[in-house]
CSV table of all heavy atoms in Angstrom, one decimal:
chain,number,residue,atom,x,y,z
A,350,THR,N,-232.9,127.6,-127.4
A,350,THR,CA,-231.6,128.3,-127.1
A,350,THR,C,-231.6,128.4,-125.6
A,350,THR,O,-232.4,128.9,-124.9
A,350,THR,CB,-231.4,129.6,-127.7
A,350,THR,OG1,-231.7,129.4,-129.2
A,350,THR,CG2,-230.1,130.2,-127.5
A,351,LYS,N,-230.4,128.0,-125.0
A,351,LYS,CA,-230.1,128.1,-123.6
A,351,LYS,C,-228.8,128.9,-123.4
A,351,LYS,O,-227.8,128.6,-124.1
A,351,LYS,CB,-229.9,126.7,-123.0
A,351,LYS,CG,-231.2,125.9,-123.1
A,351,LYS,CD,-232.4,126.4,-122.3
A,351,LYS,CE,-233.6,125.5,-122.5
A,351,LYS,NZ,-234.8,126.1,-121.8
A,352,GLY,N,-228.8,129.9,-122.5
A,352,GLY,CA,-227.6,130.7,-122.4
A,352,GLY,C,-227.3,131.6,-123.6
A,352,GLY,O,-228.3,132.1,-124.1
A,353,ILE,N,-226.1,131.9,-123.9
A,353,ILE,CA,-225.9,132.7,-125.1
A,353,ILE,C,-224.9,131.9,-126.0
A,353,ILE,O,-224.0,131.4,-125.7
A,353,ILE,CB,-225.0,134.1,-124.7
A,353,ILE,CG1,-226.0,134.9,-123.8
A,353,ILE,CG2,-224.7,134.8,-125.9
A,353,ILE,CD1,-225.3,136.1,-123.3
A,354,TRP,N,-225.4,131.8,-127.3
A,354,TRP,CA,-224.7,131.1,-128.3
A,354,TRP,C,-223.9,131.9,-129.3
A,354,TRP,O,-224.4,133.1,-129.5
A,354,TRP,CB,-225.6,130.1,-129.1
A,354,TRP,CG,-225.9,128.9,-128.2
A,354,TRP,CD1,-226.6,128.9,-127.0
A,354,TRP,CD2,-225.5,127.6,-128.5
A,354,TRP,NE1,-226.7,127.6,-126.6
A,354,TRP,CE2,-226.1,126.7,-127.4
A,354,TRP,CE3,-224.9,126.9,-129.5
A,354,TRP,CZ2,-225.8,125.4,-127.3
A,354,TRP,CZ3,-224.7,125.6,-129.4
A,354,TRP,CH2,-225.2,124.8,-128.4
A,355,MET,N,-222.9,131.6,-129.8
A,355,MET,CA,-222.1,132.4,-130.7
A,355,MET,C,-221.7,131.7,-132.1
A,355,MET,O,-221.6,130.6,-132.2
A,355,MET,CB,-220.7,132.7,-130.0
A,355,MET,CG,-219.7,133.5,-130.8
A,355,MET,SD,-218.1,133.4,-129.8
A,355,MET,CE,-217.5,131.8,-130.3
A,356,TRP,N,-221.7,132.6,-133.1
A,356,TRP,CA,-221.4,132.2,-134.5
A,356,TRP,C,-220.6,133.2,-135.1
A,356,TRP,O,-221.0,134.3,-135.3
A,356,TRP,CB,-222.7,132.0,-135.2
A,356,TRP,CG,-222.5,131.1,-136.4
A,356,TRP,CD1,-221.3,130.6,-136.9
A,356,TRP,CD2,-223.6,130.6,-137.4
A,356,TRP,NE1,-221.6,129.8,-138.1
A,356,TRP,CE2,-222.9,129.8,-138.3
A,356,TRP,CE3,-225.0,130.8,-137.4
A,356,TRP,CZ2,-223.6,129.3,-139.4
A,356,TRP,CZ3,-225.6,130.1,-138.4
A,356,TRP,CH2,-225.0,129.4,-139.3
A,357,CYS,N,-219.3,132.9,-135.4
A,357,CYS,CA,-218.3,133.8,-136.1
A,357,CYS,C,-218.2,133.5,-137.5
A,357,CYS,O,-217.9,132.5,-137.9
A,357,CYS,CB,-216.9,133.8,-135.4
A,357,CYS,SG,-217.0,134.1,-133.6
A,358,VAL,N,-218.4,134.5,-138.3
A,358,VAL,CA,-218.3,134.4,-139.7
A,358,VAL,C,-217.6,135.6,-140.3
A,358,VAL,O,-217.7,136.7,-139.7
A,358,VAL,CB,-219.8,134.3,-140.5
A,358,VAL,CG1,-220.4,133.0,-140.0
A,358,VAL,CG2,-220.6,135.4,-140.2
A,359,PRO,N,-216.9,135.5,-141.6
A,359,PRO,CA,-216.3,136.7,-142.1
A,359,PRO,C,-217.4,137.7,-142.4
A,359,PRO,O,-218.4,137.4,-142.9
A,359,PRO,CB,-215.6,136.1,-143.4
A,359,PRO,CG,-215.6,134.6,-143.2
A,359,PRO,CD,-216.7,134.3,-142.4
A,360,HIS,N,-217.0,139.0,-142.2
A,360,HIS,CA,-218.0,140.1,-142.5
A,360,HIS,C,-218.2,140.0,-144.0
A,360,HIS,O,-217.3,140.2,-144.8
A,360,HIS,CB,-217.5,141.3,-141.9
A,360,HIS,CG,-218.6,142.3,-141.7
A,360,HIS,ND1,-219.2,143.0,-142.7
A,360,HIS,CD2,-219.2,142.9,-140.5
A,360,HIS,CE1,-220.1,143.8,-142.3
A,360,HIS,NE2,-220.2,143.7,-140.9
A,361,PRO,N,-219.5,140.1,-144.3
A,361,PRO,CA,-219.7,140.1,-145.8
A,361,PRO,C,-219.5,141.4,-146.5
A,361,PRO,O,-219.4,141.5,-147.9
A,361,PRO,CB,-221.2,139.8,-145.8
A,361,PRO,CG,-221.8,140.3,-144.5
A,361,PRO,CD,-220.7,140.0,-143.6
A,362,PHE,N,-219.3,142.5,-145.8
A,362,PHE,CA,-219.1,143.9,-146.4
A,362,PHE,C,-217.7,144.5,-146.0
A,362,PHE,O,-217.1,145.3,-146.8
A,362,PHE,CB,-220.2,144.8,-146.1
A,362,PHE,CG,-221.5,144.5,-147.0
A,362,PHE,CD1,-222.4,143.6,-146.5
A,362,PHE,CD2,-221.6,145.1,-148.1
A,362,PHE,CE1,-223.6,143.4,-147.2
A,362,PHE,CE2,-222.7,144.9,-149.0
A,362,PHE,CZ,-223.7,143.9,-148.4
A,363,LYS,N,-217.3,144.2,-144.8
A,363,LYS,CA,-216.0,144.8,-144.3
A,363,LYS,C,-214.9,143.9,-144.3
A,363,LYS,O,-214.8,142.9,-143.4
A,363,LYS,CB,-216.2,145.3,-142.9
A,363,LYS,CG,-217.4,146.4,-142.8
A,363,LYS,CD,-217.7,146.9,-141.3
A,363,LYS,CE,-218.8,147.8,-141.2
A,363,LYS,NZ,-219.0,148.3,-139.8
A,364,ASP,N,-214.0,144.1,-145.2
A,364,ASP,CA,-212.8,143.2,-145.4
A,364,ASP,C,-211.9,143.3,-144.0
A,364,ASP,O,-211.9,144.5,-143.5
A,364,ASP,CB,-211.9,143.6,-146.5
A,364,ASP,CG,-212.6,143.2,-147.9
A,364,ASP,OD1,-213.5,142.4,-147.9
A,364,ASP,OD2,-212.3,143.9,-148.9
A,365,GLY,N,-211.3,142.3,-143.7
A,365,GLY,CA,-210.6,142.3,-142.4
A,365,GLY,C,-211.3,142.4,-141.1
A,365,GLY,O,-210.8,142.7,-140.1
A,366,HIS,N,-212.6,142.1,-141.2
A,366,HIS,CA,-213.5,142.2,-140.0
A,366,HIS,C,-214.2,140.8,-139.8
A,366,HIS,O,-214.3,140.2,-140.8
A,366,HIS,CB,-214.5,143.4,-140.0
A,366,HIS,CG,-213.9,144.7,-139.9
A,366,HIS,ND1,-213.1,145.3,-140.9
A,366,HIS,CD2,-214.1,145.7,-138.9
A,366,HIS,CE1,-212.7,146.4,-140.5
A,366,HIS,NE2,-213.3,146.8,-139.4
A,367,THR,N,-214.5,140.6,-138.6
A,367,THR,CA,-215.4,139.4,-138.3
A,367,THR,C,-216.8,139.7,-137.7
A,367,THR,O,-216.7,140.6,-136.9
A,367,THR,CB,-214.6,138.3,-137.4
A,367,THR,OG1,-213.4,138.0,-137.9
A,367,THR,CG2,-215.4,137.1,-137.0
A,368,LEU,N,-217.6,139.1,-138.3
A,368,LEU,CA,-219.2,139.3,-137.7
A,368,LEU,C,-219.4,138.2,-136.6
A,368,LEU,O,-219.3,137.0,-137.1
A,368,LEU,CB,-220.1,139.2,-138.9
A,368,LEU,CG,-221.6,139.4,-138.5
A,368,LEU,CD1,-221.9,140.8,-137.9
A,368,LEU,CD2,-222.6,139.0,-139.7
A,369,VAL,N,-219.6,138.7,-135.5
A,369,VAL,CA,-220.0,137.8,-134.3
A,369,VAL,C,-221.5,137.9,-134.1
A,369,VAL,O,-222.0,138.9,-133.7
A,369,VAL,CB,-219.1,138.1,-133.2
A,369,VAL,CG1,-219.4,137.1,-132.0
A,369,VAL,CG2,-217.6,137.9,-133.4
A,370,LEU,N,-222.2,136.7,-134.2
A,370,LEU,CA,-223.7,136.7,-133.9
A,370,LEU,C,-223.8,136.1,-132.6
A,370,LEU,O,-223.3,134.9,-132.4
A,370,LEU,CB,-224.3,136.0,-135.1
A,370,LEU,CG,-224.1,136.6,-136.4
A,370,LEU,CD1,-224.6,135.6,-137.5
A,370,LEU,CD2,-224.7,138.0,-136.6
A,371,LEU,N,-224.6,136.7,-131.7
A,371,LEU,CA,-224.9,136.1,-130.4
A,371,LEU,C,-226.4,135.9,-130.3
A,371,LEU,O,-227.2,136.8,-130.4
A,371,LEU,CB,-224.5,137.1,-129.3
A,371,LEU,CG,-223.0,137.4,-129.2
A,371,LEU,CD1,-222.6,138.4,-128.1
A,371,LEU,CD2,-222.1,136.2,-129.1
A,372,ASP,N,-226.9,134.7,-130.1
A,372,ASP,CA,-228.2,134.3,-130.0
A,372,ASP,C,-228.4,134.1,-128.5
A,372,ASP,O,-227.8,133.1,-127.9
A,372,ASP,CB,-228.6,133.1,-130.8
A,372,ASP,CG,-230.1,132.8,-130.9
A,372,ASP,OD1,-230.9,133.8,-130.4
A,372,ASP,OD2,-230.5,131.8,-131.3
A,373,THR,N,-229.3,134.8,-128.0
A,373,THR,CA,-229.5,134.7,-126.5
A,373,THR,C,-230.8,133.7,-126.1
A,373,THR,O,-231.8,133.6,-126.9
A,373,THR,CB,-229.8,135.9,-125.7
A,373,THR,OG1,-230.9,136.6,-126.3
A,373,THR,CG2,-228.7,136.9,-126.1
A,374,GLU,N,-230.7,133.2,-124.9
A,374,GLU,CA,-231.8,132.4,-124.4
A,374,GLU,C,-233.1,133.3,-124.3
A,374,GLU,O,-233.0,134.5,-123.9
A,374,GLU,CB,-231.3,132.0,-123.0
A,374,GLU,CG,-232.5,131.2,-122.3
A,374,GLU,CD,-231.8,130.8,-120.9
A,374,GLU,OE1,-230.7,130.7,-120.7
A,374,GLU,OE2,-232.7,130.3,-120.1
A,375,GLY,N,-234.2,132.7,-124.7
A,375,GLY,CA,-235.5,133.4,-124.8
A,375,GLY,C,-236.0,134.0,-123.3
A,375,GLY,O,-235.8,133.2,-122.4
A,376,LEU,N,-236.4,135.1,-123.3
A,376,LEU,CA,-236.7,135.8,-122.0
A,376,LEU,C,-238.1,135.2,-121.7
A,376,LEU,O,-238.9,135.1,-122.6
A,376,LEU,CB,-236.7,137.3,-122.1
A,376,LEU,CG,-235.3,137.9,-122.6
A,376,LEU,CD1,-235.5,139.4,-122.7
A,376,LEU,CD2,-234.2,137.4,-121.6
A,377,GLY,N,-238.4,135.1,-120.3
A,377,GLY,CA,-239.7,134.8,-119.9
A,377,GLY,C,-240.1,133.3,-120.2
A,377,GLY,O,-241.3,133.0,-120.3
A,378,ASP,N,-239.2,132.5,-120.2
A,378,ASP,CA,-239.4,131.0,-120.4
A,378,ASP,C,-240.1,130.6,-119.2
A,378,ASP,O,-239.5,130.6,-118.0
A,378,ASP,CB,-238.1,130.2,-120.6
A,378,ASP,CG,-238.3,128.8,-121.0
A,378,ASP,OD1,-239.4,128.3,-120.8
A,378,ASP,OD2,-237.3,128.1,-121.4
A,379,VAL,N,-241.3,130.0,-119.3
A,379,VAL,CA,-242.2,129.5,-118.1
A,379,VAL,C,-241.4,128.4,-117.3
A,379,VAL,O,-241.6,128.2,-116.1
A,379,VAL,CB,-243.6,129.2,-118.5
A,379,VAL,CG1,-244.3,130.3,-119.0
A,379,VAL,CG2,-243.6,128.1,-119.6
A,380,GLU,N,-240.7,127.6,-118.0
A,380,GLU,CA,-240.0,126.4,-117.4
A,380,GLU,C,-238.9,126.8,-116.6
A,380,GLU,O,-238.6,126.3,-115.6
A,380,GLU,CB,-239.4,125.4,-118.5
A,380,GLU,CG,-240.5,124.7,-119.3
A,380,GLU,CD,-240.0,123.7,-120.2
A,380,GLU,OE1,-238.7,123.6,-120.2
A,380,GLU,OE2,-240.7,123.1,-121.0
A,381,LYS,N,-238.4,128.0,-116.9
A,381,LYS,CA,-237.2,128.5,-116.2
A,381,LYS,C,-237.7,129.3,-115.0
A,381,LYS,O,-237.2,129.1,-113.8
A,381,LYS,CB,-236.2,129.4,-117.1
A,381,LYS,CG,-235.1,129.8,-116.5
A,381,LYS,CD,-234.3,130.7,-117.5
A,381,LYS,CE,-235.2,131.6,-118.2
A,381,LYS,NZ,-234.6,132.2,-119.3
A,382,GLY,N,-238.6,130.3,-115.2
A,382,GLY,CA,-239.2,131.1,-114.0
A,382,GLY,C,-238.2,131.9,-113.3
A,382,GLY,O,-238.4,132.1,-112.1
A,383,ASP,N,-237.2,132.3,-113.8
A,383,ASP,CA,-236.0,133.0,-113.0
A,383,ASP,C,-235.8,134.4,-113.7
A,383,ASP,O,-235.1,134.5,-114.7
A,383,ASP,CB,-234.7,132.3,-113.1
A,383,ASP,CG,-233.7,132.9,-112.2
A,383,ASP,OD1,-233.8,134.0,-111.6
A,383,ASP,OD2,-232.7,132.2,-112.0
A,384,GLU,N,-236.5,135.4,-113.2
A,384,GLU,CA,-236.4,136.7,-113.8
A,384,GLU,C,-235.0,137.3,-113.7
A,384,GLU,O,-234.5,138.1,-114.5
A,384,GLU,CB,-237.4,137.7,-113.1
A,384,GLU,CG,-238.8,137.4,-113.5
A,384,GLU,CD,-239.9,138.5,-113.1
A,384,GLU,OE1,-239.3,139.6,-112.6
A,384,GLU,OE2,-241.1,138.3,-113.2
A,385,LYS,N,-234.3,137.1,-112.5
A,385,LYS,CA,-233.0,137.5,-112.4
A,385,LYS,C,-232.0,137.0,-113.4
A,385,LYS,O,-231.1,137.7,-114.0
A,385,LYS,CB,-232.4,137.1,-110.9
A,385,LYS,CG,-231.2,137.7,-110.6
A,385,LYS,CD,-230.7,137.4,-109.2
A,385,LYS,CE,-229.4,138.1,-108.7
A,385,LYS,NZ,-229.0,137.8,-107.4
A,386,HIS,N,-232.1,135.7,-113.8
A,386,HIS,CA,-231.5,135.2,-114.7
A,386,HIS,C,-231.7,135.9,-116.2
A,386,HIS,O,-230.7,136.1,-116.9
A,386,HIS,CB,-231.7,133.6,-114.9
A,386,HIS,CG,-231.0,132.9,-116.0
A,386,HIS,ND1,-229.6,132.6,-116.0
A,386,HIS,CD2,-231.3,132.5,-117.3
A,386,HIS,CE1,-229.2,132.0,-117.0
A,386,HIS,NE2,-230.3,132.0,-117.9
A,387,ASP,N,-232.9,136.1,-116.4
A,387,ASP,CA,-233.2,136.9,-117.7
A,387,ASP,C,-232.6,138.2,-117.7
A,387,ASP,O,-232.1,138.6,-118.8
A,387,ASP,CB,-234.8,136.9,-117.8
A,387,ASP,CG,-235.4,135.7,-118.2
A,387,ASP,OD1,-234.7,134.7,-118.5
A,387,ASP,OD2,-236.7,135.6,-118.1
A,388,THR,N,-232.7,138.9,-116.5
A,388,THR,CA,-231.9,140.3,-116.5
A,388,THR,C,-230.5,140.1,-116.7
A,388,THR,O,-230.0,141.0,-117.5
A,388,THR,CB,-232.1,140.8,-115.1
A,388,THR,OG1,-233.6,140.8,-114.9
A,388,THR,CG2,-231.5,142.2,-115.0
A,389,TRP,N,-229.8,139.1,-116.2
A,389,TRP,CA,-228.3,139.0,-116.6
A,389,TRP,C,-228.1,138.7,-118.0
A,389,TRP,O,-227.1,139.2,-118.5
A,389,TRP,CB,-227.6,138.0,-115.6
A,389,TRP,CG,-227.5,138.3,-114.2
A,389,TRP,CD1,-227.9,137.8,-113.1
A,389,TRP,CD2,-226.8,139.6,-113.8
A,389,TRP,NE1,-227.5,138.6,-112.0
A,389,TRP,CE2,-226.8,139.6,-112.3
A,389,TRP,CE3,-226.2,140.7,-114.5
A,389,TRP,CZ2,-226.2,140.6,-111.6
A,389,TRP,CZ3,-225.6,141.7,-113.8
A,389,TRP,CH2,-225.6,141.6,-112.3
A,390,ILE,N,-228.9,137.9,-118.6
A,390,ILE,CA,-228.8,137.6,-120.0
A,390,ILE,C,-228.8,138.8,-120.9
A,390,ILE,O,-228.2,139.1,-121.8
A,390,ILE,CB,-229.9,136.5,-120.5
A,390,ILE,CG1,-229.6,135.2,-119.9
A,390,ILE,CG2,-229.9,136.4,-121.9
A,390,ILE,CD1,-228.4,134.4,-120.5
A,391,PHE,N,-229.9,139.7,-120.4
A,391,PHE,CA,-230.1,140.9,-121.2
A,391,PHE,C,-228.9,141.8,-121.1
A,391,PHE,O,-228.5,142.4,-121.9
A,391,PHE,CB,-231.4,141.6,-120.7
A,391,PHE,CG,-231.8,142.8,-121.5
A,391,PHE,CD1,-232.6,142.6,-122.7
A,391,PHE,CD2,-231.5,144.1,-121.0
A,391,PHE,CE1,-233.1,143.7,-123.4
A,391,PHE,CE2,-231.9,145.1,-121.8
A,391,PHE,CZ,-232.6,145.0,-122.9
Side-chain angles (χ1 to χ4, degrees):
T350 305
K351 303 295 183 183
I353 299 179
W354 283 63
M355 175 188 78
W356 199 354
C357 302
V358 296
H360 200 287
F362 284 88
K363 298 179 180 178
D364 291 338
H366 290 66
T367 296
L368 178 61
V369 180
L370 302 174
L371 301 180
D372 188 13
T373 65
E374 180 176 340
L376 308 175
D378 187 350
V379 293
E380 292 185 4
K381 182 176 53 188
D383 187 351
E384 288 189 6
K385 186 176 181 181
H386 177 79
D387 285 350
T388 301
W389 284 127
I390 290 288
F391 186 86

